[in-house]
Amino acid sequence: MSKAGENWVIGLDFGTDSVRALLVDAATGEERKSAVRIYPRWNDSRYCDSLRSQFRQHPLDYIEAMEAVIREVLSGIPDEVVNRIRGLSVDTTGSTPVAVDRQGTPLALHPEFAENPNAMFVLWKDHTAIAEAEEINQLAHRWETDYTMYSGGSYSAEWFWAKMLHIFRTDPQVAQYTYSWMEHCDWIPHLLCGHGDVQVLKRSRCAAGHKAMWHETFGGLPSAAFLTTLDPRLKDIRNHLYRQTYTSDTAVGTISSEWAQRTGLPSNVIIGVGAIDAHMGAVGAAIRPYSLVKVVGTSTCDMLVAPVSKHGDPLVSGICGQVDGSIVPGMLGFEAGQSAFGDLYQWFARLVAFPVTTLLSDTVSQQEQHTLINRILTALNREAAALPVTDTDEVALDWINGRRTPDVNPALNGWLTGITLGTDAPRLFKALVEATAFGSKAIVDRFEAESIPVQEIIATGGIAKKSTYVMQVLADVLGRPIKTVKTEQSCALGAAMYATVAAGIHPTIAAAQEAMSSGFEQEYQPNPDRAQVYAALYRRYQRLGSFQEKLTSYS
């Protein structure tokens, strides 16, 4: 058994806006030091068009930020600690894929594609592929094998094949020069290990199962015939992808000499198989069977694990997939979530801040604008928390960036109803917070309707830490206690836990969790006095959602 200070690991957490590095004692879970770096091009809103739901990230943002953040987290750390760093694992947003050449180099790193957004990583929340996702669904539902069956029965515009198909159809030059595609969580280990051939990489079971319709019963990915029917160009891409996938307790390889030199890490550091951020965040939050872990940030991902022996055959409809080993090896991993959570609050705060950020843009710096928006959010939380809750209150839909689950539908959007001359900003904010809580309740209801019990709820992520108001509303609407995780960085901690297993320090992820978990810091209890009122508001939310769906043609 590892002793305190004997072995250290690093968890790298690539979020939507930045990357975080966390240095952790493998024996105790002590978080020795962390550092964060913003993606500079993304921070300047380059390569994005929110009106078209286009969100792209340049690979140089990841490369530069990763190198800097690892060097920063190692700065000032004694050599005897640095030399005992044994492993490093990564989590990233997903599905965030990119077109690559034979060596696994993103096309945007070639001069001729350096400023082409289609040659960059297509961020998880990019919804430019709505039409392609619908085409995939229609074909899958009439094919002899429905390849969406383990993806909740519907394929999303946020996922791997839809994004690839959209890029190929809108940019023939990118299609021509593409050899393969890689998820962000696969590309970072490939880069760090210095592998020269994209086909030798151990691909993530987590990303493949939840985002690319990979499953053992299919013999891997969807068949060549299915993909060729969608677009003949997909056949060659399939041949350049993978058959086998790996859980994150597996080592990809050893860090390359180049990246050891660039970061200051020892030359024998083991790099583990990557995974999607929320899945590793659930591990860092000490997930156990039938715990629902809500990773609450710009969006939410709701993670649940259950024994394969009990739930391996029934298919849960309308979620983001059920994959053996995607969260914890040997357990069935279920994923659900909401496309906008914190993003909805940020949108409203920017709306409220418009007069200052626009009329005073020449005198107010970007940093001051960010500070102002945060102050507005603090004030909105405070004022909304003081409002009474009645069954005649304003009601909103949280689908401002489409609906992820239950039943994916990216064509839906956010609504606000019941507005009067007495409606002010805090009342609107209250309705938006309640809408996100209602969206969470719909997910819990779906799991339990499909005979997957939810025995406890754990929350982690920025909002779980920052907003007692949001968490209390969530507990009140769900009618259940919610425990919040003590660590501020459960995704990076989960990656660090996986690094210990990949490096052979702990035998299993359960052992790593037992040794390294941060525990819980707070438990929100539901207010029984509000149960009846929130039940009535939830029924209005459901009726409003049903009405909007009748107005859309997406199914």
Side-chain angles (χ1 to χ4, degrees):
M1 180 177 293
S2 179
K3 299 178 181 178
E6 183 178 15
N7 295 301
W8 296 82
V9 289
I10 288 179
L12 276 183
D13 171 30
F14 287 84
T16 299
D17 302 317
S18 61
V19 59
R20 179 185 301 274
L22 180 66
L23 178 63
V24 184
D25 187 325
T28 66
E30 175 202 345
E31 298 177 8
R32 178 69 175 264
K33 187 177 179 182
S34 67
V36 179
R37 282 300 174 101
I38 300 290
Y39 309 136
R41 296 162 188 80
W42 170 260
N43 193 50
D44 291 338
S45 300
R46 294 172 65 180
Y47 315 118
C48 298
D49 183 351
S50 58
L51 291 177
R52 295 196 299 120
S53 292
Q54 175 182 300
F55 299 99
R56 310 291 166 82
Q57 293 187 324
H58 202 291
L60 285 176
D61 267 357
Y62 300 148
I63 292 171
E64 294 165 1
M66 177 172 64
E67 180 178 356
V69 81
I70 294 175
R71 284 204 165 273
E72 183 178 347
V73 87
L74 296 183
S75 66
I77 298 297
D79 289 345
E80 58 266 26
V81 172
V82 173
N83 292 334
R84 290 176 178 170
I85 296 174
R86 297 269 307 280
L88 181 153
S89 287
V90 306
D91 67 76
T92 74
T93 63
S95 179
T96 301
V98 68
V100 298
D101 63 16
R102 177 66 184 261
Q103 286 70 45
T105 302
L107 295 190
L109 295 180
H110 292 274
E112 61 268 37
F113 293 107
E115 296 298 316
N116 184 343
N118 295 323
M120 300 174 190
F121 283 88
V122 186
L123 190 64
W124 63 270
K125 67 179 182 177
D126 186 297
H127 283 176
T128 53
I130 289 178
E132 288 78 11
E134 175 62 3
E135 185 178 344
I136 290 170
N137 281 316
Q138 290 183 3
L139 181 62
H141 295 163
R142 66 175 186 265
W143 202 258
E144 59 183 357
T145 299
D146 184 349
Y147 291 110
T148 71
M149 69 171 71
Y150 295 103
S151 302
S154 293
Y155 201 71
S156 171
E158 294 184 354
W159 298 348
F160 186 78
W161 292 108
K163 290 176 173 178
M164 183 193 309
L165 192 57
H166 178 74
I167 296 297
F168 279 5
R169 290 180 174 173
T170 56
D171 197 323
Q173 188 179 20
V174 167
Q176 178 184 352
Y177 284 91
T178 298
Y179 180 81
S180 187
W181 277 70
M182 298 179 73
E183 283 283 359
H184 188 192
C185 68
D186 289 331
W187 180 68
I188 294 293
H190 179 81
L191 178 70
L192 289 173
C193 290
H195 291 155
D197 187 335
V198 67
Q199 291 187 264
V200 305
L201 177 67
K202 292 178 180 176
R203 302 274 192 148
S204 166
R205 168 80 56 86
C206 176
H210 286 285
K211 311 303 179 185
M213 296 187 289
W214 179 95
H215 199 273
E216 281 286 359
T217 60
F218 305 152
L221 294 167
S223 70
F226 175 83
L227 295 173
T228 301
T229 303
L230 284 169
D231 192 302
R233 290 170 292 192
L234 296 184
K235 179 179 179 182
D236 286 339
I237 296 298
R238 185 188 188 278
N239 292 336
H240 300 159
L241 285 169
Y242 49 89
R243 161 64 183 87
Q244 185 63 38
T245 63
Y246 298 85
T247 53
S248 293
D249 53 347
T250 308
V252 173
T254 305
I255 193 169
S256 69
S257 57
E258 176 191 354
W259 274 96
Q261 184 175 10
R262 290 178 69 162
T263 59
L265 287 168
S267 60
N268 61 344
V269 168
I270 298 297
I271 307 298
V273 169
I276 299 171
D277 49 7
H279 299 69
M280 283 194 172
V283 170
I287 194 170
R288 60 185 182 181
Y290 307 117
S291 301
L292 184 72
V293 174
K294 297 183 67 63
V295 183
V296 188
T298 54
S299 66
T300 68
C301 283
D302 293 355
M303 318 306 300
L304 188 147
V305 296
V308 176
S309 59
K310 290 186 178 182
H311 302 283
D313 294 326
L315 299 174
V316 178
S317 66
I319 63 171
C320 300
Q322 51 193 79
V323 181
D324 185 358
S326 63
I327 302 172
V328 175
M331 301 289 288
L332 198 61
F334 296 89
E335 178 191 352
Q338 295 163 265
S339 293
F341 205 95
D343 263 356
L344 181 57
Y345 310 154
Q346 285 284 339
W347 164 80
F348 186 66
R350 290 195 302 270
L351 196 68
V352 173
F354 173 81
V356 174
T357 58
T358 301
L359 300 179
L360 301 180
S361 59
D362 293 338
T363 58
V364 178
S365 69
Q366 189 175 54
Q367 181 57 49
E368 288 172 324
Q369 292 181 34
H370 287 317
T371 300
L372 173 65
I373 289 172
N374 287 333
R375 291 181 63 187
I376 289 172
L377 280 169
T378 299
L380 288 169
N381 273 267
R382 182 181 64 249
E383 296 298 321
L387 292 171
V389 180
T390 73
D391 57 11
T392 60
D393 288 347
E394 297 85 352
V395 172
L397 291 176
D398 56 310
W399 304 332
I400 195 168
N401 196 27
R403 184 180 63 205
R404 183 180 294 163
T405 58
D407 305 313
V408 61
N409 191 337
L412 299 175
N413 47 50
W415 280 9
L416 284 163
T417 64
I419 298 171
T420 70
L421 289 175
T423 301
D424 56 15
R427 290 184 68 87
L428 286 180
F429 184 72
K430 169 180 169 292
L432 297 178
V433 170
E434 289 168 347
T436 55
F438 294 148
S440 296
K441 178 171 171 55
I443 292 169
V444 173
D445 288 352
R446 175 59 60 87
F447 273 122
E448 298 201 320
E450 301 275 350
S451 301
I452 306 295
V454 176
Q455 294 180 352
E456 69 171 347
I457 297 179
I458 300 169
T460 184
I463 291 174
K465 284 286 186 181
K466 295 175 184 176
S467 179
T468 57
Y469 169 62
V470 172
M471 297 310 300
Q472 186 59 56
V473 170
L474 194 58
D476 291 345
V477 167
L478 294 177
R480 301 164 183 253
I482 301 176
K483 296 189 291 188
T484 59
V485 178
K486 186 179 297 184
T487 180
E488 294 186 359
Q489 40 218 12
S490 60
C491 294
L493 180 59
M497 289 175 177
Y498 264 116
T500 67
V501 184
I505 300 169
H506 289 299
T508 64
I509 198 63
Q513 287 177 303
E514 180 69 24
M516 301 170 67
S517 174
S518 70
F520 304 102
E521 68 174 357
Q522 190 168 354
E523 184 169 309
Y524 291 86
Q525 294 293 333
N527 184 345
D529 295 337
R530 293 188 169 182
Q532 188 173 353
V533 177
Y534 273 133
L537 291 175
Y538 181 55
R539 288 192 293 271
R540 288 176 56 196
Y541 168 90
Q542 291 175 303
R543 290 196 299 270
L544 185 62
S546 296
F547 178 67
Q548 184 184 148
E549 288 187 275
K550 292 177 182 178
L551 300 180
T552 67
S553 59
Y554 185 92
S555 62

